[in-house]
Structure formats: structure tokens, C-alpha cells
Amino acid sequence: MQPQDVAPRPAPSSASASQTGPAGPVGPAVDVEQAEAALVEHYPRLARLAYLVLPPGPGRGRRVLAAHALTQRALPRNRTTTAVIPAQSTGREVDPGYALVRLRVVRTALEAGLPLRRRAWPRRSQLPPLLPHVRGLKLFPRSGGADELALDQALSALSGPGRAAYVLRGLERLPDDGVRQLLGAAGVADVDAALREADGVPGQYALLGSPEFDPCSLQARPTDLLRRRQHTKAALVAGAALVVCGALLGLPGDGWGPDGAAAPSYAQNPAAEAALDPARLTKVAPAAWETSARTDFSVWPARGDLTGDEKLLRRALAVWARPGESVGVSATPGTPTGGPAGPPQLLYAGAVDNARVVILHDGLRVVRYAEPKDGSAGAALDFARTDGAGRAGATAVVLGRADGNVRYLTAPWVTKAAGRDLADPDADARDLTLTDGVTSPVASPVQQSGACTSWNVLELTDGSDTRVVTDLGELVPARLTTGHPGSVKDASGEKALGAWAPYACSLGAVRGQGVRSVNAWEFASQPLPDGTGSGAWVCTRAETWRGEGAKVLAQFRTPGGARGAVAAKAQDVPACGERDPHVLAGVLWKSEGGHWYLLAAGSRGTESVEATGGITDAADGNLLTAKAEQGAQAELKGTLENGRTISGLR
């Protein structure tokens, strides 16, 4: 998951004075250094703004490069004034430097969509960007869901000013008066018409923050290497290239048409052709899992009403082997996206909501191919690493997401499925129907907008065992567990659900990171110095499928608190894990009487805790309570019973 840019900082009070200019109210002069600082600080936000306003015609790859080029060109050459434009609907004034570069980004993005004129020199923004330029790679944002696709299509039908009006409303949270002022300053002749156009698109403004529209969080794939090689040879020997092209067009077989959205194939390789043959797909018998020594994805039967549709299966295999430029490709971190080495296993082929979906497995990865029911345009290809998955890790796969809901394909040994709000342990689970392993829709937590008030999870029952998994925006849901590292248990049952409830919303911090499982463990309980009870220290550790990249959060919750507060976090550390279950964290806490304290706690086996730096104190045992000042900072060190020292998480 990439971090999102924060809203622009408020302007200092000295920038409040303005004057009037020909384009409207004019703000103070902005130095190049101030504009550069705003551009660097808010670069992801400005690039996203340019990407959304640019016309969609050239394709996602060229649109990404154009967005970066226009954003970098927004830096003025000298001291400049800018129109006074309101900030978000909260009423805060925008930093003048940010207002200037935002205006220049919008203006040039609108100019890029203007048609070229015969008798006029093209503007710089209408020309392909010289820089940034990447040779040999295709760069495009990560694919979103059906909602993002529908919004992108709706925005592509608008004019440039209409798109800009919608994006400024949603992404910049500008009121209509602010949109009028900014578009007027950008040279739009009929701003009211642009606002009326924007009114025709549903106000799904939260989707504008999706990775689908983030040109700074990119997928990279090589261009067609064989085509590049052929073009190089053609430039040297034009006649030979014509002969080669003619020979390629005359190759036997079904040709390129049946492959749908796949890129053209220029080579005939027997092993590769075998992997693309639908007739050679592995299809496991429905009852094979009952007698197999293994219970993982390798014993899932082929399900769905389109398992016999060879044209669909061929398209899915061909797109996997060589996705075309129109295919949206996404992969969990650390997952290779190359084609199959041999005929893969078919897990599912069928219609899901408004798409045809094929799920394949090659022993290392689960791969989902999805295409609209009305054709192969807009096809999507998703990869998830699943090597080493056992019975607990191979319980479900995401089939599709639509309208804020998600459908799962469950393992053949799952007998019951239910949806539950993890943040409300007292609420009853809602039974889901299972049709040939496919669940009825359940609300997805990753598609909720606004403040987190709930977190929907999936409960899967297999005989006497019940497991809880959650959608983290990837192909395979993550398993939730509780308990001491090394002896964790599934987060099912009243006690485990109650332990997870205050920390459910913290799962949003590990979306899109290839997470395999998340464990919550209460490692200490600390009496509060004002006598109001004891605070709970909980460590949540997210393990990934690739083994590295684990994320650890130490959270602290006071008595009666509905949610835990993140006190410290770390990445790629063994703390709070099976290899090293020890953990140490601290937090500044303010009592009801207005006094500040440093509260620090280590896990069991911590013999002493010491604080240095802004706060100096020490205590025997695993708990430390020290008086402090607001904003004070301290370094924590713990000594274990075996003499080893550990540092506090940051």
C-alpha cells in the first residue's frame, strides 16, 4: 500500500493579505523556493490531480508519464503571484506556494486535452513529455475494483473542465465557489457548464484516493521484448523484417484473436504452448481433498459454471503469459508476475456479478483473471503468493468486489460461512449462503470511506474448527489469530473476538502488503498512576507470505477506551514474533488531573526497564511509570532475564 499525501498545510497569517488582479483576487508573491517546498511536500497529491484531469485517450502508461511531467513543470521560474483560492471546505486558507503549483498543474492538464490547431504552434503541455522517460518499461497504477473502473469511465466521458471540477470537489474538497475561482484562473471560459457536467457523475469522492488513480504507486512491466528486438532488426534490414512479419502472420494455429486482451505472441515454444492449452489444465476431482495427505490449494476442485468454456480459459492463460497494454495487472509484494512454467491448476471459472472470472494456481501463486461480460476490454489480472499455504492459509480466495462488497470462493472443506463486525464482538454473526463454495456478498472493510467505525471479517467453519479471515485488498484474505507468539490460536470464540475488537481498525495499516496472518497479543497490563485502573498493552504483528516485511504495532488502551492507540511501530523486526516474542514500548499519557507520565512496558521475561534522553528513570520488572513533560522524548532499553538487552519499538 503506498502512503497517501496529507492535505495542504494552512498558510501563515502573514499571507492573508491579498490584492485584486485581472483574473480575480491575487495573493502574495510566491518565491521559487516556497513553491518548490510545496511541490515536493505535496507531489503525490499534485500528480494524482494531474492524472485525473488529463484526458484518458493516450492510455494509462502515457497518462502516468504526462502527469509527472506536468507536475514537475509546475515549478515557476521566478517570483510569482497566484489567485487567492479557498482550501478545503473546512475553511482553512491554502499555503500560497501550494495554491500556485496546484493552479499551474490544473491549467497545463486542461491545456493537454485541447485539440491541436493547424495554424498555431502547439503548447508545451500538448506535446509528449521528454522527461520523465523510461525505456523498456510500461508503468501504470495498480488496478482498483469495479467501482473505480466505473468512475474512470464516467470521468472519461466528461470534458477536461468537467473532470477538473469533479476532481477539485472530491480530491481537493473545494466548495463550488473555490472551483469557479480556480478554473477561471486556469482559463476555463464556461465554469458553470463544467460544474453542471460534474453534477452528472455520482459523488464517489472517496474513490479518488484509490491506488487506481495514484501515478506515484506504480506497477512496472517490460514492454514486448520480442517486438523491440524485431523492430531493431527491421531498422537495420528492412527487407528481412518484412519477410519475418509475413512469416509470423502466416503461422498456423488460432491466431491472435482468441487470446483476447493478451499481447501478440512472436515465438513458438512447445513448453509455453502447452501451458496455454486449456485442455491440459489440471482439474482435481471434487472429493480428492477427503483422502489426500495435503489440504491446501493443490486439492481444490475446479468449480464454477464456465469450467468447460475453452475460449475463456484460453484467454485467461494467454493474458497471464503476456498481458496486453489494456490489462490492469496487480500483484502482492514479492510475487512474480511471469507466465506459468507448465499447465496450471484450475480452481474456478464462472460468472461473478458483472464479470467472468477464472482462478488458477501454479503451486507458488494464485492468479485471478477477470473480464467484463460484454467483452475482454478492461480485463484485469491479479497475482497473490501462496507458497507454503496449509489448511489454515488456503481457506478462501477473493472472487470479486462490487458496490463495496466482496465475494469469496471457499475451500471445499468449509461447511459454513458468516460475516461479522470485528469491532463489535457483541453483535451476532450474519450467515452467508454457500453455493458451490461461493459466498453471498459481504461488506468489504477496505472499501469503506470516512472514519473507521466497523471492520467486517469472514468466519469459516470446518467441522469443529472456526477461522476468521479479513479482506486486506488482496486476492487471498489474511488469517486473524490471538495469543503468545509460537502458540497462536484462531481469533474465534467470545474471548478472542473481544481481545481483537479494540484493535480491529488498525488492520487498515497493513492493507496491500501481502499479509498472510495478523496476530494480536496482550503482552502487559499496567496500573495507571492516577488510580483509574490498568491500561492494556497489545502487540499486533502482520506476517507476510514472502517472510520479510512483517509489520509490528504496539498499542495501548486505557480502561473503558473503545479503541487502542498506536504507541510504537516497526518494520522487518523479529520482535513480537515466533523467533523473538519479546517486545518493549512506551507512550506519553496524560491523567485526568492534567499530569503527564511516561508509561513503558515490556513483555514477560523483562527484568528491568530504563528510560534515557528527555526522561531519565528506571524500574525493576517489566513496567516503568515516570513523570514527564508534554512532548518529551525518551529512549527505552529493557534487560531480559538472560541478560540480553532490547530496545523499545519506535
Side-chain angles (χ1 to χ4, degrees):
M1 176 186 294
Q2 297 293 329
Q4 300 297 320
D5 187 29
V6 297
R9 61 183 184 275
S13 58
S14 61
S16 60
S18 64
Q19 56 187 358
T20 302
V26 175
V30 177
D31 293 329
V32 177
E33 291 79 7
Q34 185 178 358
E36 181 187 24
L39 180 63
V40 172
E41 181 179 358
H42 302 294
Y43 186 88
R45 186 185 192 89
L46 292 165
R48 186 189 292 264
L49 178 62
Y51 181 84
L52 286 163
V53 175
L54 280 167
R60 300 174 74 200
R62 291 181 60 187
R63 193 171 159 199
V64 163
L65 296 179
H68 284 280
L70 295 183
T71 304
Q72 292 171 20
R73 293 175 191 165
L75 185 66
R77 295 182 179 274
N78 47 41
R79 188 174 175 88
T80 311
T81 59
T82 183
V84 176
I85 306 271
Q88 286 72 18
S89 56
T90 55
R92 297 182 300 171
E93 294 294 331
V94 159
D95 170 21
Y98 178 77
L100 173 63
V101 293
R102 178 177 65 183
L103 174 60
R104 292 169 67 93
V105 165
V106 172
R107 178 186 293 133
T108 53
L110 290 173
E111 290 175 352
L114 297 176
L116 295 173
R117 298 180 180 178
R118 277 188 176 183
R119 300 182 180 179
W121 287 100
R123 302 179 184 182
R124 187 182 181 191
S125 57
Q126 294 176 284
L127 298 175
L130 297 176
L131 292 174
H133 180 74
V134 181
R135 177 175 173 81
L137 285 180
K138 296 184 295 184
L139 301 175
F140 44 85
R142 298 183 63 177
S143 298
D147 293 339
E148 287 88 342
L149 177 62
L151 177 59
D152 193 33
Q153 292 174 341
L155 291 178
S156 67
L158 302 182
S159 66
R163 275 194 307 276
Y166 185 91
V167 173
L168 290 171
R169 278 177 175 173
L171 188 64
E172 292 293 294
R173 303 196 296 270
L174 287 181
D176 283 0
D177 287 343
V179 174
R180 286 189 178 91
Q181 292 180 40
L182 197 153
L183 291 183
V188 175
D190 192 348
V191 177
D192 289 333
L195 289 169
R196 287 193 297 271
E197 272 195 89
D199 290 336
V201 178
Q204 297 177 298
Y205 297 134
L207 294 178
L208 296 178
S210 166
E212 172 89 12
F213 308 117
D214 185 3
C216 293
S217 176
L218 301 174
Q219 300 289 318
R221 291 190 63 82
T223 55
D224 195 320
L225 303 177
L226 292 173
R227 178 180 290 178
R228 282 163 46 194
R229 186 174 300 170
Q230 292 288 346
H231 285 181
T232 302
K233 292 180 179 179
L236 299 175
V237 189
L242 289 174
V243 174
V244 172
C245 290
L248 289 172
L249 290 173
L251 286 174
D254 294 330
W256 299 341
D259 293 348
S265 173
Y266 292 100
Q268 297 293 315
N269 180 290
E273 288 299 315
L276 301 181
D277 186 356
R280 300 195 182 188
L281 282 172
T282 300
K283 298 180 180 180
V284 176
W289 66 272
E290 298 179 5
T291 56
S292 172
R294 300 173 58 177
T295 49
D296 53 22
F297 289 112
S298 67
V299 294
W300 278 33
R303 289 171 284 181
D305 56 353
L306 297 178
T307 55
D309 189 338
E310 290 201 357
K311 291 184 178 180
L312 170 64
L313 298 178
R314 176 169 178 80
R315 286 196 300 274
L317 291 167
V319 171
W320 180 359
R322 49 182 198 280
E325 291 185 359
S326 64
V327 178
V329 181
S330 70
T332 57
T335 305
T337 58
Q345 176 187 352
L346 178 63
L347 303 185
Y348 181 86
V352 181
D353 297 323
N354 294 319
R356 289 185 290 264
V357 177
V358 178
I359 305 289
L360 301 162
H361 178 246
D362 68 349
L364 172 67
R365 304 162 291 178
V366 167
V367 181
R368 177 181 63 187
Y369 169 79
E371 65 179 28
K373 285 185 177 179
D374 56 357
S376 59
L381 192 65
D382 303 303
F383 295 84
R385 187 169 172 176
T386 57
D387 50 319
R391 190 183 186 97
T395 55
V397 170
V398 171
L399 274 183
R401 297 184 178 88
D403 301 324
N405 297 319
V406 58
R407 287 183 187 268
Y408 296 91
L409 176 67
T410 61
W413 49 84
V414 171
T415 58
K416 181 181 178 182
R420 174 184 292 279
D421 183 2
L422 187 64
D424 185 3
D426 297 328
D428 294 331
R430 303 171 299 282
D431 289 340
L432 303 175
T433 60
L434 275 178
T435 305
D436 199 19
V438 179
T439 68
S440 54
V442 59
S444 171
V446 299
Q447 295 184 330
Q448 64 183 347
S449 58
C452 176
T453 57
S454 63
W455 193 276
N456 293 303
V457 295
L458 181 68
E459 271 189 355
L460 300 174
T461 301
D462 164 25
S464 58
D465 294 330
T466 298
R467 293 185 173 87
V468 176
V469 297
T470 182
D471 180 17
L472 293 180
E474 300 175 345
L475 193 50
V476 179
R479 178 191 179 197
L480 300 183
T481 60
T482 59
H484 188 279
S487 57
V488 301
K489 298 180 180 179
D490 286 288
S492 60
E494 182 178 350
K495 183 177 180 181
L497 292 171
W500 251 112
Y503 313 100
C505 288
S506 67
L507 289 167
V510 293
R511 287 183 290 192
Q513 298 181 23
V515 172
R516 179 175 189 159
S517 63
V518 188
N519 183 58
W521 169 45
E522 183 173 334
F523 65 89
S525 177
Q526 184 167 18
L528 300 179
D530 63 353
T532 56
S534 295
W537 285 96
V538 169
C539 166
T540 57
R541 181 180 174 92
E543 299 284 2
T544 67
W545 285 97
R546 61 192 183 277
E548 59 183 12
K551 188 166 187 176
V552 180
L553 299 179
Q555 303 187 60
F556 182 72
R557 185 169 70 99
T558 55
R563 298 284 184 268
V566 176
K569 56 187 176 181
Q571 188 103 9
D572 282 328
V573 296
C576 198
E578 185 173 357
R579 289 181 56 192
D580 184 7
H582 300 288
V583 61
L584 173 65
V587 68
L588 282 179
W589 177 79
K590 185 180 180 181
S591 69
E592 293 182 357
H595 302 293
W596 286 90
Y597 296 89
L598 168 66
L599 304 180
S603 55
R604 186 176 60 187
T606 303
E607 192 173 67
S608 64
V609 178
E610 179 183 4
T612 57
I615 304 171
T616 303
D617 207 339
D620 293 333
N622 68 324
L623 303 176
L624 170 65
T625 301
K627 291 184 178 180
E629 298 292 335
Q630 182 179 3
Q633 297 184 357
E635 298 287 336
L636 294 177
K637 183 179 74 172
T639 302
L640 305 180
E641 293 175 346
N642 60 7
R644 182 166 72 92
T645 60
I646 59 174
S647 301
L649 295 180
R650 292 181 177 275

